[in-house]
């Protein structure tokens, strides 16, 4: 079996890692928060452990909480994956993680932060050599503007690059997103801004470009002539777990559908780019979005989970019983919408986006369903072929097809051609999505980050629907914790041409 080759990004990182006398300071705003301790610092540790960061990189955490360096290290340590042989190395990593408390609006703490970065840079890159700075905003969007203004005024390097990583949500609708985008563009060039959507760092999402454009077998069938529907699904088997107050304001459309699922739609529907350069790829994604009309409420199903009377623990608790949730909240924890891409390739093919909390399983997948076999000679026993890309968990690519039953039986049944990554690539550990994307920021590779015009078009598609839901006070359909989905959603999927037979379930293969 051939081993997959190392990526150009890995080679570039190793080359950069050998560059002498170049300092790198990585600042985490919101360092005392959940995202920082659960995702950002663990991914920085993995990059450090694997030698994928420039030598001498230093990390400064910044937040309003009054913490010492040691208290920060105690907070993040339980979330670092460390083998026994790595205890000494993780100790060295933690020593280069320092902390500073300060206001997000007062300029004086930012002046102090700049002085701290300058002192580190003098140690790493004296004599005026390059000093690069990365600022990660693990913060709510309402704080972005004051922080970025203070960074621009007080914290930029004058002898190296400056890059700003911005977490979603990028606004709440078209107008609020435009305000934020205009503010950022007044401070930084587009090539300095990295709007992070962690789904774009997932292995199977990054594989879409290769699957689509490096395999001739898909070229003649990737269009409305052969494809009946495309369903993109995100499911989780647990509830909000204390995040209901956040979800009450945001809802699952803003949290998952308008960004993660829409990004997958663009990668499935886009035309072949002129090259693999970031802007050529993002140009094609924008073209897809421009061919989409705003989503209509008639093709949308909204739901909110309630506790299962027969369930135990979390399963018995509904969304409105989650701590911090208003008792009359109409926020949606399930949503399905039908999108249409009105161009020559896809006209008439429904793209069904479906996402939900407190359902029956954890799954994110893209399911491309082909049209029925024309001139069927098997008496209607043929089920539609499906090409499935399983994003998580147990990453896989498989083609569902009809085959003859083995042996003397002349009947047929559904089977699959299956590329399951855990089985095929046993010795390869897939990095976390945040790990890949943070590495891309060091490399200056914006391919897997959202561009401003792409963001504006995405909000154009969803804003009218969101305003309708909120102004009309739409009451979501109640569904019981642990169900597969909503019958009302299945009915709309069937109406637009997607067929769910329920006769086949993919099982992860084992040898």
């Amino acid at each position: 079996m051939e081993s997959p080759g190392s990526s150009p990004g890995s080679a570039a990182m190793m080359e950069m890692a050998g560059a002498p006398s170049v300092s790198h300071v990585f600042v985490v705003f919101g360092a005392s928060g959940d995202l920082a301790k659960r995702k950002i610092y663990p991914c920085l540790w993995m990059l450090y452990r694997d030698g994928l960061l420039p030598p001498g990189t230093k990390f400064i955490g910044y937040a309003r909480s009054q913490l010492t360096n040691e208290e920060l290290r105690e907070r993040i340590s339980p979330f670092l994956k460390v083998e026994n042989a790595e205890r000494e190395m993780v100790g060295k990593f933690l020593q280069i993680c320092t902390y500073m408390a300060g206001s997000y609006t007062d300029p004086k703490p930012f002046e102090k932060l700049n002085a701290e970065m300058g002192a580190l840079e003098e140690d790493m890159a004296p004599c005026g050599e390059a000093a690069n700075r990365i600022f990660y905003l693990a913060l709510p969007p309402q704080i972005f503007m004051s922080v970025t203004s203070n960074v621009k005024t007080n914290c930029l390097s004058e002898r190296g690059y400056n890059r700003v990583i911005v977490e979603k949500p990028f606004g709440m609708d078209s107008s609020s997103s435009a305000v934020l985008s205009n503010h950022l563009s007044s401070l930084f060039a587009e090539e300095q801004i990295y709007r992070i959507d962690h789904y774009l760092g997932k292995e199977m999402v990054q594989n879409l470009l290769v699957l689509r454009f490096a395999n001739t077998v898909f070229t003649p069938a990737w269009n409305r002539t052969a494809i009946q529907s495309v369903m993109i699904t995100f499911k989780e088997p647990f509830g909000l777990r204390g995040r209901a107050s956040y979800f009450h304001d945001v809802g699952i459309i803003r949290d998952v559908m308008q960004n993660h699922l829409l990004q997958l739609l663009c990668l499935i529907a886009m035309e072949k780019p002129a090259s693999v350069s970031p802007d050529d790829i993002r140009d094609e994604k924008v073209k897809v979005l421009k061919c989409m009309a705003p989503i209509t409420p008639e093709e949308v199903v909204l739901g909110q989970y309630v506790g299962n009377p027969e369930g135990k623990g979390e399963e018995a608790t509904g969304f409105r019983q989650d701590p911090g949730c208003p008792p009359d909240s109409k926020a949606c924890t399930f949503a399905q919408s039908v999108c249409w891409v009105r161009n020559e390739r896809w006209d008439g093919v429904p793209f069904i986006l479906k996402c939900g909390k407190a359902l029956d399983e954890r799954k994110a997948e893209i399911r491309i369903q082909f049209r029925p076999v024309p001139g069927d000679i098997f008496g209607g026993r043929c089920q539609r072929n499906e090409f499935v890309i399983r994003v998580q968990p147990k990453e896989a690519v498989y083609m569902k097809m009809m085959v003859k039953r083995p042996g003397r039986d002349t009947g047929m049944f559904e089977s699959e051609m299956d590329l399951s990554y855990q089985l095929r690539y046993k010795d390869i550990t897939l990095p976390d999505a945040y790990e890949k994307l943070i590495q891309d920021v060091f490399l200056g590779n914006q391919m897997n980050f959202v561009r401003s015009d792409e963001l504006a078009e995405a909000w154009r598609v969803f804003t009218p629907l969101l305003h309708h839901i909120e102004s009309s006070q739409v009451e979501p359909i109640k569904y019981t914790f642990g169900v597969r989905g909503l019958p009302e959603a299945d009915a709309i999927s069937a109406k637009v041409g997607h067929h769910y037979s329920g006769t086949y379930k993919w099982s992860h293969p084992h040898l």
Side-chain angles (χ1 to χ4, degrees):
M1 167 181 133
E2 290 184 5
S3 298
S6 62
S7 68
S10 306
M13 179 58 80
M14 296 307 293
E15 181 180 346
M16 184 177 71
S21 301
V22 178
S23 78
H24 293 79
V25 177
F26 191 102
V27 179
V28 181
F29 290 109
S32 62
D34 202 54
L35 177 64
K37 70 181 180 183
R38 291 182 182 274
K39 283 293 182 183
I40 299 172
Y41 279 106
C43 288
L44 291 172
W45 152 243
M46 288 185 280
L47 290 169
Y48 176 89
R49 177 199 65 190
D50 295 339
L52 295 173
L53 293 176
T57 300
K58 298 292 193 296
F59 309 105
I60 302 176
Y62 184 105
R64 289 178 293 210
S65 303
Q66 295 295 322
L67 301 175
T68 64
N69 291 342
E70 199 53 44
E71 286 171 331
L72 172 72
R73 293 161 187 161
E74 288 174 0
R75 283 196 179 199
I76 64 178
S77 291
F79 300 94
L80 307 182
K81 296 178 181 178
V82 183
E83 301 292 337
N84 287 332
E86 297 166 349
R87 294 294 173 187
E88 183 179 351
M89 182 181 287
V90 79
K92 293 178 179 178
F93 169 76
L94 290 170
Q95 284 304 308
I96 60 173
C97 296
T98 58
Y99 182 81
M100 180 179 298
S103 164
Y104 290 128
T105 55
D106 184 358
K108 291 194 177 299
F110 287 84
E111 294 171 4
K112 184 180 176 184
L113 173 62
N114 185 55
E116 177 68 18
M117 289 188 287
L120 292 174
E121 288 161 353
E122 282 305 310
D123 290 341
M124 293 184 285
C127 305
E129 291 161 338
N132 301 320
R133 296 178 179 180
I134 297 173
F135 304 92
Y136 197 126
L137 275 63
L139 298 167
Q142 59 267 30
I143 306 176
F144 286 174
M145 295 177 73
S146 62
V147 171
T148 49
S149 293
N150 276 311
V151 167
K152 172 69 174 181
T153 305
N154 301 295
C155 295
L156 296 188
S157 171
E158 296 180 355
R159 52 192 178 103
Y161 67 64
N162 297 278
R163 294 170 183 165
V164 178
I165 307 172
V166 183
E167 269 284 346
K168 74 173 185 67
F170 312 118
M172 297 290 281
D173 58 11
S174 288
S175 59
S176 59
S177 177
V179 169
L180 179 58
S181 290
N182 291 338
H183 171 78
L184 289 173
S185 65
S186 72
L187 303 175
F188 307 102
E190 182 65 28
E191 56 267 25
Q192 295 177 291
I193 304 169
Y194 291 74
R195 299 173 189 85
I196 194 167
D197 181 336
H198 75 272
Y199 251 58
L200 292 176
K202 290 186 176 291
E203 178 70 24
M204 299 311 296
V205 176
Q206 296 194 338
N207 199 7
L208 283 173
L209 201 67
V210 177
L211 282 173
R212 280 207 56 195
F213 302 118
N215 295 289
T216 308
V217 66
F218 295 124
T219 303
W222 209 269
N223 54 55
R224 61 189 176 90
T225 304
I227 292 175
Q228 177 72 49
S229 63
V230 179
M231 180 172 282
I232 304 174
T233 302
F234 170 95
K235 300 171 76 173
E236 288 182 335
F238 47 83
L240 272 297
R241 296 180 174 176
R243 295 177 66 236
S245 59
Y246 163 80
F247 231 69
H248 170 70
D249 295 326
V250 175
I252 202 162
I253 294 177
R254 290 186 178 97
D255 192 55
V256 177
M257 186 178 288
Q258 183 270 343
N259 36 70
H260 302 335
L261 302 194
L262 192 60
Q263 285 291 325
L264 298 185
L265 184 156
C266 289
L267 291 167
I268 288 293
M270 63 184 263
E271 296 297 320
K272 188 174 185 177
S275 74
V276 293
S277 75
D279 276 334
D280 282 343
I281 291 170
R282 296 191 293 182
D283 285 346
E284 296 302 331
K285 289 162 66 181
V286 171
K287 289 178 186 177
V288 171
L289 292 168
K290 286 184 174 181
C291 291
M292 295 175 62
I295 295 168
T296 60
E298 293 74 24
E299 293 185 316
V300 174
V301 174
L302 305 173
Q304 184 187 95
Y305 70 87
V306 296
N308 185 341
E310 300 177 0
K312 295 181 181 179
E314 181 187 18
E315 293 181 1
T317 305
F319 171 72
R320 291 179 178 178
Q321 285 74 54
D322 199 84
C325 182
D328 59 348
S329 174
K330 291 182 170 60
C332 302
T333 59
F334 174 96
Q336 179 183 290
S337 67
V338 181
C339 306
W340 304 91
V341 180
R342 304 295 188 187
N343 63 14
E344 185 177 10
R345 181 181 294 273
W346 296 112
D347 196 18
V349 176
F351 286 78
I352 304 163
L353 308 184
K354 179 166 65 174
C355 50
K357 303 275 187 180
L359 296 174
D360 61 334
E361 62 179 327
R362 178 174 178 254
K363 178 174 74 173
E365 70 173 24
I366 302 162
R367 184 172 296 266
I368 299 167
Q369 187 173 98
F370 291 87
R371 295 190 180 277
V373 175
D376 180 19
I377 62 173
F378 296 104
R381 289 176 291 165
C382 296
Q383 299 294 340
R384 297 179 185 177
N385 297 145
E386 290 183 341
F387 181 59
V388 182
I389 301 153
R390 191 175 182 96
V391 177
Q392 68 180 28
K394 299 175 181 177
E395 293 86 349
V397 180
Y398 65 93
M399 175 69 81
K400 192 179 84 174
M401 60 177 57
M402 302 302 299
V403 298
K404 176 191 170 295
R405 290 190 180 278
R408 293 188 177 90
D409 194 332
T410 58
M412 62 174 67
F413 73 115
E414 295 168 89
S415 188
E416 73 284 321
M417 289 196 299
D418 190 335
L419 171 60
S420 289
Y421 272 46
Q422 287 182 349
L423 191 63
R424 183 71 172 87
Y425 306 120
K426 293 180 180 179
D427 300 326
I428 295 177
T429 301
L430 299 180
D432 184 271
Y434 275 97
E435 184 182 346
K436 287 186 181 180
L437 294 174
I438 290 173
Q439 181 181 3
D440 279 344
V441 177
F442 276 96
L443 290 166
N445 179 7
Q446 292 185 301
M447 179 188 298
N448 297 306
F449 295 84
V450 181
R451 203 169 62 188
S452 59
D453 55 344
E454 185 180 353
L455 179 62
E457 288 296 328
W459 278 119
R460 179 189 61 79
V461 172
F462 276 94
T463 291
L465 172 66
L466 291 166
H467 285 179
H468 166 77
I469 292 169
E470 289 157 3
S471 64
S472 304
Q473 288 289 293
V474 175
E475 185 71 38
I477 300 165
K478 300 299 186 289
Y479 65 94
T480 304
F481 198 120
V483 299
R484 183 189 69 82
L486 275 65
E488 293 86 349
D490 292 340
I492 286 184
S493 298
K495 183 178 178 181
V496 298
H498 180 82
H499 177 67
Y500 173 72
S501 67
T503 59
Y504 171 88
K505 184 174 178 63
W506 177 77
S507 58
H508 186 60
H510 301 279
L511 286 183

